[in-house]
Amino acid sequence: DEAALKEVRVAAKEGTTDLEYLREVIKPEVVLPYLTQEDVNAALSDSRADAAVMDQLEAEILVRRTGDDFRVNSKPLFSVLPMLPV
């Protein structure tokens, strides 16, 4: 949950709403921006980051690749709704 993220090192991919939400809403003590999702995943794997904010699909793929090393928060932190023409 968001409260738990405030006190740990949290990674996110640069140029995403994930990173923006992390910086503007959650405001953890340490934000670790990375250029690629692979860099975010590597930061989690080698313990440079304690947690990461990413899309649900990316998180599920990471968990499938690594087995039980990671877990996905069952409740999304936020959702982005598509913009519809008016």
Side-chain angles (χ1 to χ4, degrees):
D1 69 353
E2 289 184 26
L5 293 177
K6 288 183 182 271
E7 299 177 11
V8 297
R9 299 166 297 165
V10 187
K13 183 178 170 187
E14 287 208 31
T16 64
T17 54
D18 303 325
L19 183 60
E20 185 178 330
Y21 188 82
L22 188 60
R23 286 181 169 154
E24 301 298 321
V25 178
I26 299 174
K27 300 178 183 177
E29 287 184 22
V30 179
V31 175
L32 302 169
Y34 289 95
L35 292 177
T36 68
Q37 187 61 46
E38 291 77 21
D39 292 339
V40 171
N41 298 351
L44 283 170
S45 293
D46 64 20
S47 300
R48 285 178 283 148
D50 302 306
V53 176
M54 64 183 76
D55 292 344
Q56 179 81 22
L57 181 59
E58 290 171 334
E60 290 172 1
I61 290 169
L62 176 62
V63 169
R64 271 190 246 129
R65 285 184 184 160
T66 61
D68 293 330
D69 292 344
F70 303 105
R71 68 179 173 82
V72 177
N73 187 358
S74 60
K75 181 183 171 202
L77 295 177
F78 69 98
S79 65
V80 177
L81 301 176
M83 298 294 290
L84 301 175
V86 285

